[in-house]
Amino acid sequence: VSSAQTVEALLAASGLAPREARALLAHVLGVARERLVAHPEESVAVDKKAAFRAAADRRRAGEPLAYLLGVKEFCGRCFAVNRDVLIPRPETEALVELALHYLRALTAPRVLDLGTGSGCIAITLSLEHPDAEVTATDLSASALAIAAANAQAMSARAIDFRLGSWYEAVPPGARYDLIISNPPYVARHDPHLAELAFEPAVALTDGGDGLRCLAAVIAGAKTAIAAGGWLALEHGYDQHEAVQQMLREHGWRPLTYTDCNGHPRATVARRDGPDNA
Ligand SMILES: C[S@@+](CC[C@H](N)C(=O)[O-])C[C@H]1O[C@@H](n2cnc3c(N)ncnc32)[C@H](O)[C@@H]1O
């Protein structure tokens, strides 16, 4: 127990999938993963061995790898994450790609990301569309702190981070060319919530039927959208019809897109009316 062990033996005894075990050990040792592949015979010092085993125990107990590593890749960039923020999902990359497609036609667009979490959407949009003026909000001050730190680490041009519930966080009368949001949309009694116990509840569920936050974002968009602007929403795989219906009731023309798994996951909409024609 108290002696050094080789990389190979430590990885094999971890009980984790090889890729995860390597990622975790590389993180503990502060070396590149490739080095562990190239030098499985190297010995791991006793204190590092103990730190790796503790991390492997946490992983086996269900803690997401991203929290143990403190980072998650999103749209090709590494975002710092901790338990104050949702771990960015590949499904959300599709939402960002859609948004970039719609932004392409606009000059200096004003963008509002509601419920920014780690900042993954706002920061990616700001870096990929540098003349965008991006505002990002969250109800959670600790999430906003992570988002602001990520923005600084990635040199994202000044993003205006604002604390508050949905549109209450932004100045009255502000108008945006793109409002984008991946709000909490898991219903309170959804059995999947149990598997997501390490992530903040406020990031996952609206505490109701799963549509409350989507409804709040849609309702407020009516006045916060600029003429001709777009609303882009992520939602559950089985919520697109309800989301489309809410949007139509508020005078929007919605179009739903599928995610990387083929599920209807993102809906983009534009408002009807003479000013938006
Ligand atoms: C599903 S997470 C999305 C985080 C990030 N945008 C992403 O896509 O990974 C939802 C976010 O909405 C925030 N949130 C929850 N209720 C809110 C509210 N009433 N107003 C603003 N943000 C809220 C949560 O704190 C969380 O960061």
Side-chain angles (χ1 to χ4, degrees), residues 28-97:
V28 166
L29 297 177
V31 301
R33 294 168 202 190
E34 294 72 29
R35 177 169 171 155
L36 303 182
V37 177
H39 295 288
E41 76 293 348
E42 273 188 356
S43 76
V44 178
V46 172
D47 60 331
K48 298 292 185 193
K49 186 172 96 172
F52 172 71
R53 283 184 170 170
D57 286 349
R58 285 167 64 184
R59 179 67 193 116
R60 283 198 309 277
E63 188 160 344
L65 186 66
Y67 286 152
L68 293 167
L69 299 177
V71 289
K72 177 71 184 178
E73 192 183 318
F74 182 85
C75 289
R77 295 186 179 89
C78 259
F79 286 78
V81 292
N82 67 16
R83 289 185 62 175
D84 291 327
V85 295
L86 187 94
I87 298 166
R89 302 291 203 272
E91 288 86 342
T92 308
E93 294 181 333
L95 179 74
V96 168
E97 275 158 28

Side-chain angles (χ1 to χ4, degrees), residues 78-153:
C78 259
F79 286 78
V81 292
N82 67 16
R83 289 185 62 175
D84 291 327
V85 295
L86 187 94
I87 298 166
R89 302 291 203 272
E91 288 86 342
T92 308
E93 294 181 333
L95 179 74
V96 168
E97 275 158 28
L98 272 173
L100 286 169
H101 170 77
Y102 285 96
L103 283 178
R104 210 162 289 150
L106 305 178
T107 308
R110 295 155 292 175
V111 175
L112 175 61
D113 173 26
L114 292 169
T116 198
S118 63
C120 60
I121 296 175
I123 293 169
T124 305
L125 293 179
S126 172
L127 291 172
E128 296 295 326
H129 200 101
D131 76 339
E133 277 176 36
V134 181
T135 300
T137 77
D138 210 287
L139 189 61
S140 158
S142 44
L144 273 187
I146 299 284
N150 274 324
Q152 195 175 6

Side-chain angles (χ1 to χ4, degrees), residues 3 50 56 80 86 89-90 97 107 114 132 134 145 156 189 200 208-209 219 226 231 245 251 261 268 277:
S3 60
L86 187 94
R89 302 291 203 272
E97 275 158 28
T107 308
L114 292 169
V134 181
H189 295 300
D209 62 358
L231 176 59
Q245 191 184 329
N261 299 312
V268 178

